[in-house]
Amino acid sequence: MKARFAITALVALLIFCAGYAALFIAPDEATMHAIQRIFYFHVASWNAMFCAFFVAFCASVAYLVTGKRKWDALGVSGVEVGVMCCTIGLITGPLWARPVWGIWWTWDAKLTSTFILWLLFIAYLLLRGLVEDPEKKASLSAVFAIFASLDIPLVYLANRLWRTQHPQPVIAGGEGSGLDPTMSKVLLLCLFAVLCVMILVLVDRYRLELLRNEAAELRYEIESRGLDASNGQETPALQKGAQ
Amino acid sequence: MTTAKAAAIILAKELRLEFRTRELLTATVIFALVVVVLFSFAFDPTAAESRRYGPGLLWIAFLFAGSLMLNPSFAREQNNETLDALRMAPISGFAILLGKILANFIFMSLAELVLLPVFAVLYNLSLTGIVSRLILVLVLGTLGLTVTGTVFSAISAHARMRELLLPLLLLPLLTPLLIAAVESTTSLFAEQPALDRTWLAFLAGFDIVFLTASWLLCDHLLEE
């Protein structure tokens, strides 16, 4: 418990430092000025989202291979946290685009792909809500998560072939690209800080899912014993439990 | 029994079941027709406009119709728990899935064959000279739709509100297929009809990726 508190405090301090660095230490951008500072958290949230969805994909594969419930818990945690990061990215994007591009939204390859990604994983969460049987829920949502993950590169490729408006890669995009050294240091700090927040939330969500599973199992056990007891006979299992 | 033979038996069973009533096919064709007619109110279907929007409209009608038509594929096995009987048969899970995919592919293709001439007449588009190339695009597109749709029908069959859930799962996943199919159909309906090889390869790639994934995951999909 103490260790968890210490880690949470450490991550809070880290994200505070990242926020301070993004607002006050990073140099002013030549054409976009203050609004460009949203970049440090916009890019960082996409980075965290990809990590979270990657965790979800690996956990889904692991669940189907091993059949252990903990992988299913990790899978749903990854998707939920990934959807959260995706939502942050989809909100900070238009906030940045409006003053810089002059529009809130454009149907460009990256925007469209992430929007579809968001819809796909919202559908995953809906699917989990609509399947009753826990075993079925776990295996079917794992199959869906794998299909959705396979679809991501295809969605991106299709949109890329079709139309794109996003800037060419700035950081490693060949000649003439590159960030100011201070900017890239701040970016790295922000990437790391947001990733740590994501992992912290993910681990907490995973613990919650395990506790929920345990609670559901206990409730099921109590209910099935209650049915036996109502027949007028106490089952050995109940007596054992009462001792 | 080999997978191919078992799949053929499942396919025959699905076809026999459907052609006894033909209700699924009729409903699908009528539904797609309703969509096509409704679209004519959304924009003026003159010849130039139809060249631009027609293919998109046609594929959206197919996708909507498909996402409704594929739903009973596994859902109707639930009524008498006949899926358990199929699962108990000494055949691989993939044979069951493949038989159903092929059956759905046939139903969807039949619906498209009926719709295509009607669509061409209503939207004043000429099909002469492009039929064989158009069929190639339709086959690749419909295969992708039925592979993913049949798999998701097996998923949504276990859920509440399955009729609503299936389009929600299926349609976002099919966006790359929609883009590729619309683009290759548009280039066929252009003044100078041409077969766009990039998009055709993309469609084939989509089919291969998801057919392989269904083959790998089918046992988890059908397990009890």
Side-chain angles (χ1 to χ4, degrees), chain A residues 63-65 112 116 119-120 123-124 126-133 135-136 139-144 146-151 153-159 161-162, chain B residues 87 147-148 151-152 154-156 158-161 165 168-170 172-177 179-180 183 198-199 202 205-206 209-210 213-214 217 220-224:
Chain A
Y63 176 74
L64 291 183
V65 173
T112 316
I116 298 290
L119 286 174
L120 275 171
Y124 171 96
L126 266 174
L127 171 68
R128 289 190 72 95
L130 292 173
V131 182
E132 302 281 347
D133 181 48
E135 296 277 315
K136 274 273 161 229
S139 61
L140 294 179
S141 57
V143 171
F144 181 73
I146 293 171
F147 266 69
S149 308
L150 288 176
D151 202 44
L154 292 171
V155 173
Y156 183 71
L157 183 65
N159 280 289
L161 284 169
W162 196 29
Chain B
R87 221 184 279 119
V147 168
T148 51
V151 170
F152 286 3
I155 291 179
S156 68
H158 295 281
R160 283 178 285 128
M161 296 208 301
L165 184 62
L168 282 181
L169 298 178
L170 188 59
L173 191 100
L174 285 177
T175 43
L177 179 114
I179 294 173
E183 286 300 300
T198 319
W199 287 118
F202 187 92
F206 186 95
V209 166
F210 286 109
S214 329
L217 298 174
H220 299 290
L221 205 60
L222 299 172
E223 77 189 359
E224 185 43 22

Side-chain angles (χ1 to χ4, degrees), chain B residues 6-191:
Chain B
I9 292 171
I10 301 279
L11 171 65
K13 165 223 158 225
E14 292 283 321
L15 292 181
R16 203 178 312 130
L17 205 62
E18 174 55 27
F19 286 107
R20 267 183 201 154
T21 58
R22 288 178 296 277
E23 51 194 13
L24 196 59
L25 260 175
T26 324
T28 308
V29 171
I30 301 293
F31 177 81
L33 208 57
V34 169
V35 174
V36 167
V37 172
L38 283 184
F39 267 117
S40 76
F41 302 119
F43 69 91
D44 183 25
T46 57
E49 291 266 283
S50 346
R51 280 218 178 79
R52 268 175 58 205
Y53 299 118
L57 193 163
L58 186 68
W59 275 102
I60 286 186
F62 288 164
L63 252 54
F64 281 3
S67 67
L68 291 178
M69 189 203 80
L70 293 162
N71 193 51
S73 186
F74 275 91
R76 68 177 163 203
E77 305 277 2
Q78 300 256 310
N79 293 342
N80 297 317
E81 293 180 0
T82 41
L83 193 61
D84 291 335
L86 281 181
R87 221 184 279 119
M88 267 184 260
I91 54 175
S92 69
F94 186 58
I96 301 175
L97 196 67
L98 189 66
K100 283 188 177 282
I101 288 174
L102 289 175
N104 288 329
F105 177 78
I106 291 172
F107 299 151
M108 200 63 216
S109 306
L110 283 177
E112 286 169 7
L113 274 184
V114 175
L115 275 165
L116 201 60
V118 179
F119 173 78
V121 169
L122 288 178
Y123 284 81
N124 205 12
L125 290 164
S126 166
L127 292 177
T128 46
I130 56 166
V131 171
S132 56
R133 285 174 287 177
L134 193 60
I135 285 177
L136 183 62
V137 175
L138 284 176
V139 164
L140 288 177
T142 311
L143 188 63
L145 168 66
T146 42
V147 168
T148 51
T150 310
V151 170
F152 286 3
S153 149
I155 291 179
S156 68
H158 295 281
R160 283 178 285 128
M161 296 208 301
R162 57 174 87 110
E163 289 82 4
L164 193 57
L165 184 62
L166 180 61
L168 282 181
L169 298 178
L170 188 59
L171 295 177
L173 191 100
L174 285 177
T175 43
L177 179 114
L178 179 67
I179 294 173
V182 169
E183 286 300 300
S184 39
T185 315
T186 308
S187 58
L188 282 180
F189 277 128
E191 298 270 355

